[in-house]
C-alpha cells in the first residue's frame, strides 16, 4: 500500500475503457474525493468515451488520452521537474499511459500490466503496482475500487454508480422528444419507454433476438395502447428497426443512429421505463436512476455488472442457463419473452400507480 506523507492536492485518474467501465470509474473517484476532500481531481479516458463521465461533482476537469497520444504528453513536466499532480491512479494495460502518468505525477497507484519491465521500473521508483483480481468473478464496481482500497487504504461502502445529466441536456431532451412525437401522439401519453436492443459487435452473445423484442413490444402495446417508444443505442440493422416498427407503428422514434451517448443519456432521464441488455447505455440508465428492466447472458450475471443508484427500481432478468454450463455459444434466445413481459408490466403498473398517487 502506498503511504503519502501529506494529502494530495491534485489527483489524476486515468481509465481508457468502454462506456460502462468508464462511467463506473466514478465510484472510485467518489471514494478518492471522500478520502481527500480538498483535492482537485482530473480524469482522462478514451477519446470517444471520456465525455460520459463529465458532470460528476467530484471532477474538476475531464479529457482524452490514448496510448498513442500518451507517448507525446508530459515531457515538459519531466524536463523541468515540475509534476502537476501529487497522485495518479491508473487502470489499464498500456505501458505508454503508465509512463506518461509517471512523468506528470509524484506518486502512482497503477494496475499491473503485461510489460514486466514497466512494472519493475515503477516499483523501483516507489510506486504502487497492483495485481488485480479477475474482473469476471466480482462486481465491476468492486473490481475498480480494488485499486484505491488496496493501493491507498481507502475504504468506502458506496458502490453505486451515478450519471449526471446537465440542465441544458435535460432541456434539450425534452424539446427533442416533443418534436419527435409532434403530431403522432399525446406528448404526455404513458408510458414512454426506451429500448436498447444491441450490444457491441464483439459481444453479440448478449443480444436478445429481435423476434423476442417484437413479442415483448406487442405485449406492452396490448396493455398500453398509448405507449411511446424511443429506440436508442448505436446504428442498427434496418430489418430489426422495421420489425419493431411493424408492431409499434409511428409511436416509435428511431434515434439510435443519430444520438451521442450523452444525448441518449439525457433522453433516458425523461423515460418512464428503460428496457435493455448488458451494454454501456444500461450503466447510464442505472446511474440516472430511471426504472429499468435489463437482460443478462449467463456468462456475466447482472449483479456483477450493474451497480444502480436506485436498486429498488431495477429488475435484472438472468439467462436461465446455469453458470457452470454456460458458454458464449449459449443463445440469449433461450430467455423467452414471457418472463420479460411479466417483469415489464409489473414495473409499469408500479410506475403508473406512483404517478396516480402524485
Amino acid at each position: 500500500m502506498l503511504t503519502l506523507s501529506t494529502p494530495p492536492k491534485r489527483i489524476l485518474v486515468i481509465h481508457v475503457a468502454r462506456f460502462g467501465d468508464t462511467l463506473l470509474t466514478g465510484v472510485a473517484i467518489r471514494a478518492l474525493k471522500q478520502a481527500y476532500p480538498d483535492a482537485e481531481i482530473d480524469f482522462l479516458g478514451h477519446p470517444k468515451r471520456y465525455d460520459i463521465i463529465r458532470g460528476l461533482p467530484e471532477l474538476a476537469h475531464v479529457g482524452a488520452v490514448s496510448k498513442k497520444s500518451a507517448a507525446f504528453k508530459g515531457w515538459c513536466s519531466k524536463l523541468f521537474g515540475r509534476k502537476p499532480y501529487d497522485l495518479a491512479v491508473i487502470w489499464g494495460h498500456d505501458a505508454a499511459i503508465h509512463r506518461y502518468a509517471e512523468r506528470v505525477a509524484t506518486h502512482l497507484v497503477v494496475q499491473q500490466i503485461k510489460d514486466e519491465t514497466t512494472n519493475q521500473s515503477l516499483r523501483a521508483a516507489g510506486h504502487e503496482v497492483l495485481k488485480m483480481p479477475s474482473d469476471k468473478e466480482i462486481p465491476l464496481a468492486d473490481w475498480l475500487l480494488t485499486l484505491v482500497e488496496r493501493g491507498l487504504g481507502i475504504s468506502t461502502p458506496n458502490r453505486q454508480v451515478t450519471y449526471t445529466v446537465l440542465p441544458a441536456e435535460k432541456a434539450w431532451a425534452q424539446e427533442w422528444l416533443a418534436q419527435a412525437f409532434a403530431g403522432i401522439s399525446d406528448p404526455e401519453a404513458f408510458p414512454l419507454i426506451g429500448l436498447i436492443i444491441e450490444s457491441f459487435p464483439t459481444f453479440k452473445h448478449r443480444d436478445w433476438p429481435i423476434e423476442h423484442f417484437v413479442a415483448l413490444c406487442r405485449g406492452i402495446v396490448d396493455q398500453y395502447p398509448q405507449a411511446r417508444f424511443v429506440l436508442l443505442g448505436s446504428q442498427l440493422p434496418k430489418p430489426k428497426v422495421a420489425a419493431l416498427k411493424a408492431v409499434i407503428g409511428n409511436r416509435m422514434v428511431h434515434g439510435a443512429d443519430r444520438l451521442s451517448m450523452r444525448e441518449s443519456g439525457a433522453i433516458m432521464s425523461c423515460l418512464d421505463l428503460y428496457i435493455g441488455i448488458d451494454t454501456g447505455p444500461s450503466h447510464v440508465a442505472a446511474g440516472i436512476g430511471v426504472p429499468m428492466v435489463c437482460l443478462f447472458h449467463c456468462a456475466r450475471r447482472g449483479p456483477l455488472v450493474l451497480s444502480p443508484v436506485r436498486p429498488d427500481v431495477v429488475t435484472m432478468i438472468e439467462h436461465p442457463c446455469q453458470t457452470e454450463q454456460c458458454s458464449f455459444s449459449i443463445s440469449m434466445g433461450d430467455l423467452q419473452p414471457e418472463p420479460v413481459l411479466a417483469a415489464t408490466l409489473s414495473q409499469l403498473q408500479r410506475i403508473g400507480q406512483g404517478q396516480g398517487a402524485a
Side-chain angles (χ1 to χ4, degrees), residues 65-75 96-97 99-100 103:
V65 72
S66 68
K67 62 181 178 181
K68 290 183 178 180
S69 68
F72 302 98
K73 295 168 70 75
W75 288 104
I97 291 177
R99 291 295 192 182
Y100 156 68
R103 292 194 291 272

Side-chain angles (χ1 to χ4, degrees), residues 59-258:
L59 287 175
H61 304 95
V62 298
V65 72
S66 68
K67 62 181 178 181
K68 290 183 178 180
S69 68
F72 302 98
K73 295 168 70 75
W75 288 104
C76 288
S77 296
K78 183 177 178 65
L79 179 63
F80 294 106
R82 299 172 185 169
K83 297 188 176 184
Y85 295 100
D86 304 305
L87 172 66
V89 180
I90 304 101
W91 293 262
H93 292 282
D94 292 320
I97 291 177
H98 282 42
R99 291 295 192 182
Y100 156 68
E102 187 181 30
R103 292 194 291 272
V104 298
T106 304
H107 302 286
L108 270 61
V109 176
V110 304
Q111 180 181 351
Q112 178 177 297
I113 62 177
K114 295 179 181 179
D115 183 347
E116 192 55 35
T117 300
T118 297
N119 293 331
Q120 292 177 2
S121 174
L122 293 177
R123 287 193 176 107
H127 303 301
E128 189 70 19
V129 181
L130 287 175
K131 181 179 181 180
M132 299 286 281
S134 170
D135 62 356
K136 307 301 181 186
E137 299 171 357
I138 62 175
L140 285 173
D142 287 359
W143 184 86
L144 285 159
L145 280 167
T146 298
L147 202 57
V148 297
E149 289 180 334
R150 288 173 46 193
L152 292 164
I154 294 173
S155 178
T156 177
N158 191 340
R159 263 65 176 159
Q160 295 176 336
V161 67
T162 56
Y163 179 88
T164 302
V165 177
L166 302 175
E169 293 175 328
K170 181 79 171 188
W172 170 87
Q174 291 170 335
E175 178 63 24
W176 188 92
L177 287 166
Q179 292 183 5
F181 287 105
I184 296 176
S185 64
D186 177 359
E188 302 299 322
F190 177 83
L192 176 61
I193 299 174
L195 295 175
I196 294 284
I197 66 172
E198 275 197 354
S199 183
F200 295 102
T202 51
F203 294 111
K204 284 296 184 183
H205 65 280
R206 299 176 181 177
D207 290 352
W208 206 38
I210 189 61
E211 58 268 24
H212 287 5
F213 269 110
V214 168
L216 171 65
C217 291
R218 182 180 293 114
I220 295 171
V221 172
D222 285 346
Q223 295 296 318
Y224 295 90
Q226 299 303 308
R228 297 173 295 153
F229 297 81
V230 182
L231 198 54
L232 300 168
S234 57
Q235 190 168 3
L236 297 169
K238 292 181 179 179
K240 287 190 175 183
V241 177
L244 289 172
K245 197 78 172 178
V247 174
I248 303 171
N250 61 4
R251 302 183 73 83
M252 182 185 80
V253 173
H254 177 23
D257 59 348
R258 52 198 171 98

